[in-house]
Amino acid sequence: MGRRTIGIAMLVVEATLLWKTMGYRSISGLAIMVALIGYWPWSQLNWGYRIKYVTSGMILALYLGWWWLDLQHLTPSRSAQFDRNLSLALALGLMMVQAQQYFWRNNQGLPGYYPFLGAMALAFAADNYLSPPDLRAHVFGLAMSFGFLMGLFYAAGQERNEKVMPYRLRRYTLLGICFLLSLLLAAGTAWVLGNSDRVVARWMAKRMGDRLSTLGNQQTARLNSMTDIKGKNFDHIALQIVADTSPGYLRGQVYGKYNGTSWSALTPGSAPSPVDRGPDGYTPVWHNENLYPVTPEAKELSKTLVVYPDSAIDRAMFTPKTTGWAGLAAGKVMVNEAQVVQAVTAMHGQPYQVLTASNAPMHPLSEEERILYTKLPTELATRLKTLAASICGNHTTTLGKANSITQYFTANYDYVLGIEIPKGANAMEYFLFSDPLPDAHCEFFATGAALLLRAVGVPTRYVTGVGVWEQHPFADYWVARNRDAHAWVEAWDEDEGWFIVEATPASGLPEAGQDQGTNRLHDFWSMIALQVKRLLTALKEGAWLMVANLLRTLLLGIVGFIRAAWWMVLLLVAGGVAVWILLRKLRQRRLGRPTDTDVQTQRMQTQLSTMDRWILKKHRLTRQPHVTLHSFAKEIEENLPEDAKGSALARWYRQWAATRYQPQVADKEITALEAGLQKVQRRKG
C-alpha cells in the first residue's frame, strides 16, 4: 500500500469526523472527490514548488475569507460560535490543501508533512465537540484510526525510499511516536482555541460597537434615541429579508404608556407552544423548524418572509403587524397582546421565518387597554386637546382624524434627523407648541400624532421598527439599513382594528433612503455572506434544486456588482496585473537571465515535459525540480533494469541536457531528440 492510497484513507477519516461533529456531509466529502481526481497520473501537473505553495495559501485564504464573511453575523457573546466557525474553516481549508497535493507530479509519494496537515484538520474538526458521550466515542475511534494511518504513511515512505526516514526505526516505535504526535497536536490546538474566548470577545466587542444593537430590544424608548441608531454607520445592513414583495413596516417593539419624556413597552407576554401543523402552503426552511402561533385565530397564509438579522440584534424579531406564525430552527419565542414577537434567548443573527395571515379575526379592546391607549401626560393634556380639536375640526371618523393630523404635520414641519431641545424644556411641548415650529425626525412625529389622536379619543400605540422598501442592489431580496430605523403609530378603529398612521413627512420615510449613496463593496460582501449561508443551509438539507438556483443568483449578483462598480473591479484587476508583472521582473532579475521565449527552446521544453509525463506514467519515476538531468539519468539507470530500457532513457536525458546548454542549437539536433523520444516510447519493455 503506497503513500497516496494511505493519504486517501486519512482524508476519509477527517471527512467522517467533520461530518459527525459539524454535519457538513456534502462539503467534507468534496476534499475526497478532489483527491480522487488527482490520484490518477493523467490529472497531475508538472509545476514548480512556488506555484504549489501559492495555491495552498490561496485555498486557506478562501476558507478563511468565508469564515470572515460569516463573522459579520457574530457578536461578542458568541465566542463559542466564533471558535466553531473558525475551526470549520481551518479544517476544510487544510483538507483541501491535502487534496491538492495529489495534483503535483513531484508529490508522487506525497510530502512528509501531509499527515500533520491532517492532524491539524482533525483537531479543528473535533474542537468544542467532545461533550456528548456518543460523539466522544466517535472522535476517539477516528483519532486512533488516524494515528494508525499516520504510522503506516511513514512506514510506506521508509520502504519506498530510505531517504524519507534517515534513521531505521522499528515499525511499532514509529506508530507510537506518530500517534502521540497527532494527539498532542490535537490537544494543543483545542487548548489554544478554548482559551482564546476572552481575547475574541474583547476584540469583537470593540469591532461591533457601532452596530445596530438596540432597535427592538428597548423596554423604554426615550425621544431622540433614534438618532443614535440612524446616524451611526447608516449604510450598514441590519436586516436581509427574502420575500416576493416589499415587506413594508416591520415592528420591533410596541409601546403603550407615555410619561412625558419616554415610552414604556408593553409586557413581554407568554411563550406559546409550537403548532403540530402549519397553514396550507407552509414550507419549512429548516428541517427542524418549530412554528409558533402569533395570532392564535389565524387560519389562512398570506405571504412568507425569511429574515436574516444582524448579529447585534439581541432578542427582537422584526415582523409585520399581520403576522400569524413565526418559525425558528432553534429556540422559543414570546408573544404579547400586540403580537410583538421576541426570542426567549439571544438570537445573534439566527434567521427566522415569518408567515403573515389574511382575514385574522379582530378582538375588541378591553376597558383596561382603552384606558392605557388613550392616557395623556397630565402636564400637556389640556393643550393637546385644544390643538387636536383645531386640527381635526368636524371629522368624526377615526380615519378622518388620522388623516387631518398627518396632513397637519406634513404642511407645517420639515424632516431633519436630530432636534435640539432647550435645556429644561419638555420635548413634546417644545415640538408641538413652539413658534416657529421646529424640524424633527420620526420619533417626534409619531409621538405627536399618537398624543393628538389620543386627545380626540382615538386609542393609539407607539411602534419602533424598520421600513423595508429597498431591494438589494445585487440580489433578489430586500434590505433594511440602519438609516431605515423608524417610528410610527398604530391607531384603533372600531370597525377596522389597528391600522398604521404615518405622520413623518415624505422626505423622512425609509423608502426615500433609496436615493442615498451606499457602500457598494459592503453591499457586495453582505450579498456574498447571505448567499453562502443560504447555500450551506440548502446543502445541509439536501435541497439540490435550491442549491442550483442559489448558485445562479450568486453569479447574477457578482455580475451585477461588476456592472455597478466596474471601475473598482478594473482597479483591482489592474493592480493584480501590475503586481504579477513586478514579481515576474524581480524573478528574472534574480535569475540573471532572460525568459525562454524562442521557438527552439519551447520545442525542447515540450519534449522534456512529454518525456517526464511518460516516464511517470510507465515507470512511476518523478524528476524533482531541484534534481539535474544528469543526476536523474543516473537515478533511472539505478531504478530501471535493462529490459525496461533504462539505458535508453538515461541517454536521452543526457543528450537533451547536452543539446540545451550548448551555445548554438541546430534544428537537426532538436529533430534528433524528437526522434529519440518517439523511439523510446514505441519500444516495448
Side-chain angles (χ1 to χ4, degrees):
M1 183 184 294
R3 276 189 165 193
R4 294 169 68 82
T5 305
I6 298 172
I8 294 287
M10 286 181 168
L11 272 178
V12 171
V13 171
E14 297 164 34
T16 303
L17 182 62
L18 198 64
W19 168 40
K20 288 290 185 182
T21 55
M22 298 186 180
Y24 291 98
R25 178 168 51 187
S26 301
I27 301 177
S28 56
L30 182 63
I32 300 175
M33 293 177 59
V34 172
L36 288 174
I37 293 173
Y39 186 84
W40 305 104
W42 55 265
S43 64
Q44 294 168 2
L45 306 171
N46 192 29
W47 291 350
Y49 279 96
R50 182 175 301 175
I51 300 296
K52 169 185 166 184
Y53 295 141
V54 168
T55 307
S56 300
M58 290 175 63
I59 291 173
L60 284 175
L62 177 66
Y63 280 96
L64 288 175
W66 166 54
W67 162 75
W68 177 258
L69 289 174
D70 194 56
L71 179 62
Q72 311 305 312
H73 299 278
L74 297 179
T75 59
S77 60
R78 291 182 78 201
S79 55
Q81 182 71 13
F82 170 91
D83 284 349
R84 179 185 187 275
N85 292 353
L86 178 58
S87 299
L88 175 61
L90 288 172
L92 289 172
L94 289 168
M95 287 174 61
M96 290 303 296
V97 170
Q98 286 180 278
Q100 65 104 10
Q101 301 293 329
Y102 282 85
F103 287 88
W104 307 108
R105 182 165 302 156
N106 49 24
N107 280 356
Q108 184 59 31
L110 295 180
Y113 56 80
Y114 181 91
F116 291 96
L117 295 176
M120 287 189 288
L122 209 67
F124 288 125
D127 183 50
N128 297 330
Y129 286 90
L130 300 180
S131 54
D134 57 338
L135 188 56
R136 190 184 302 121
H138 283 118
V139 171
F140 182 77
L142 290 169
M144 291 286 292
S145 302
F146 188 86
F148 179 73
L149 290 171
M150 193 172 181
L152 285 181
F153 182 89
Y154 284 113
Q158 187 178 18
E159 291 174 355
R160 184 179 181 87
N161 188 350
E162 294 293 333
K163 296 179 182 179
V164 175
M165 293 291 294
Y167 303 101
R168 292 180 175 273
L169 301 175
R170 291 182 178 272
R171 283 194 177 186
Y172 63 85
T173 306
L174 186 62
L175 290 172
I177 291 175
C178 294
F179 181 63
L180 287 175
L181 283 176
S182 61
L183 287 184
L184 286 174
L185 188 58
T189 306
W191 181 87
V192 170
L193 286 176
N195 285 273
S196 62
D197 290 353
R198 286 180 296 174
V199 176
V200 169
R202 286 198 299 268
W203 175 73
M204 294 181 71
K206 181 178 179 181
R207 174 179 172 270
M208 297 183 176
D210 62 345
R211 290 292 182 91
L212 182 66
S213 58
T214 58
L215 187 60
N217 299 328
Q218 300 169 313
Q219 291 302 306
T220 300
R222 61 179 178 83
L223 296 181
N224 245 0
S225 62
M226 197 70 75
T227 56
D228 297 334
I229 299 173
K230 295 170 72 75
K232 287 186 177 181
N233 198 7
F234 68 94
D235 267 346
H236 174 71
I237 295 177
L239 299 174
Q240 300 178 91
I241 303 104
V242 180
D244 293 334
T245 59
S246 171
Y249 292 94
L250 298 183
R251 307 188 305 168
Q253 189 60 275
V254 173
Y255 303 85
K257 181 181 178 181
Y258 181 72
N259 63 8
T261 58
S262 61
W263 288 91
S264 297
L266 302 177
T267 56
S270 59
S273 300
V275 298
D276 296 329
R277 183 177 180 274
D280 293 338
Y282 161 66
T283 303
V285 178
W286 308 277
H287 74 277
N288 56 343
E289 180 176 327
N290 292 320
L291 190 65
Y292 296 94
V294 177
T295 305
E297 299 83 1
K299 301 297 181 183
E300 297 181 10
L301 172 63
S302 176
K303 66 177 182 178
T304 301
L305 298 80
V306 181
V307 183
Y308 294 83
D310 184 89
S311 56
I313 299 174
D314 191 14
R315 297 191 302 118
M317 296 175 64
F318 291 83
T319 60
K321 183 175 65 68
T322 56
T323 298
W325 303 266
L328 277 172
K332 299 180 179 180
V333 302
M334 298 184 71
V335 182
N336 68 6
E337 62 193 73
Q339 284 74 52
V340 173
V341 187
Q342 288 197 330
V344 173
T345 56
M347 295 282 289
H348 298 319
Q350 178 186 350
Y352 52 91
Q353 183 171 200
V354 178
L355 310 179
T356 63
S358 57
N359 302 323
M362 179 184 66
H363 294 285
L365 291 181
S366 65
E367 188 61 30
E368 183 181 351
E369 290 175 323
R370 193 174 294 275
I371 293 173
L372 173 64
Y373 294 139
T374 56
K375 184 177 178 58
L376 293 171
T378 305
E379 66 275 15
L380 294 178
T382 302
R383 300 184 69 182
L384 284 169
K385 291 178 180 179
T386 302
L387 178 60
S390 66
I391 294 173
C392 294
N394 297 325
H395 289 287
T396 57
T397 64
T398 301
L399 186 58
K401 294 174 183 178
N403 288 337
S404 297
I405 290 173
T406 56
Q407 290 171 10
Y408 170 77
F409 284 121
T410 303
N412 294 281
Y413 289 84
D414 288 324
Y415 177 88
V416 65
L417 181 59
I419 177 175
E420 293 186 8
I421 307 297
K423 188 175 182 179
N426 181 288
M428 285 312 300
E429 183 178 17
Y430 175 76
F431 172 68
L432 291 173
F433 303 110
S434 295
D435 187 17
L437 295 173
D439 299 334
H441 58 276
C442 58
E443 291 172 294
F444 285 84
F445 293 112
T447 301
L451 296 179
L452 289 172
L453 282 169
R454 289 183 178 188
V456 291
V458 178
T460 59
R461 54 195 187 192
Y462 176 81
V463 186
T464 60
V466 290
V468 187
W469 286 276
E470 179 188 354
Q471 194 166 22
H472 195 284
F474 311 126
D476 58 347
Y477 58 85
W478 307 86
V479 296
R481 305 177 188 272
N482 283 6
R483 66 171 182 240
D484 297 324
H486 193 49
W488 62 92
V489 178
E490 289 179 358
W492 174 262
D493 181 78
E494 299 297 337
D495 297 324
E496 301 295 333
W498 293 104
F499 67 95
I500 292 175
V501 178
E502 182 56 82
T504 302
S507 60
L509 296 180
E511 61 261 41
Q514 294 184 16
D515 296 329
Q516 301 179 25
T518 60
N519 187 330
R520 295 189 183 277
L521 190 57
H522 178 270
D523 290 349
F524 175 69
W525 284 119
S526 71
M527 183 269 295
I528 294 291
L530 178 60
Q531 301 294 37
V532 167
K533 178 176 288 190
R534 295 173 69 188
L535 269 172
L536 291 177
T537 300
L539 284 170
K540 195 170 183 180
E541 301 292 335
W544 301 110
L545 187 61
M546 183 179 291
V547 169
N549 186 51
L550 288 173
L551 287 173
R552 172 182 170 275
T553 304
L554 181 60
L555 180 60
L556 291 176
I558 294 173
V559 172
F561 169 72
I562 294 174
R563 287 180 177 176
W566 59 268
W567 56 271
M568 188 183 301
V569 177
L570 188 61
L571 284 176
L572 289 174
V573 172
V577 171
V579 170
W580 178 78
I581 293 175
L582 179 62
L583 291 176
R584 186 176 177 84
K585 292 292 185 183
L586 291 175
R587 179 175 180 273
Q588 292 176 9
R589 180 176 298 180
R590 185 171 65 253
L591 293 176
R593 64 174 185 269
T595 307
D596 298 323
T597 57
D598 59 279
V599 176
Q600 288 183 333
T601 303
Q602 290 179 8
R603 287 180 61 190
M604 294 189 66
Q605 290 293 345
T606 301
Q607 294 170 358
L608 184 62
S609 299
T610 303
M611 179 63 85
D612 287 343
R613 287 195 298 271
W614 185 86
I615 201 171
L616 171 64
K617 180 179 179 181
K618 291 294 184 180
H619 303 292
R620 315 301 292 177
L621 289 176
T622 302
R623 182 174 62 85
Q624 304 289 350
H626 61 277
V627 176
T628 64
L629 293 174
H630 288 280
S631 298
F632 186 59
K634 185 176 180 181
E635 182 180 344
I636 292 173
E637 292 174 336
E638 293 174 353
N639 286 276
L640 297 180
E642 180 61 32
D643 58 359
K645 55 190 175 183
S647 298
L649 290 171
R651 283 197 305 273
W652 189 91
Y653 274 98
R654 291 191 180 100
Q655 181 184 357
W656 192 96
T659 304
R660 170 66 180 85
Y661 296 108
Q662 64 184 354
Q664 296 291 333
V665 180
D667 289 339
K668 64 180 181 180
E669 293 174 317
I670 299 177
T671 303
L673 283 172
E674 191 167 336
L677 172 62
Q678 296 174 357
K679 182 178 179 181
V680 168
Q681 291 178 337
R682 287 195 302 267
R683 183 183 301 174
K684 297 183 179 180

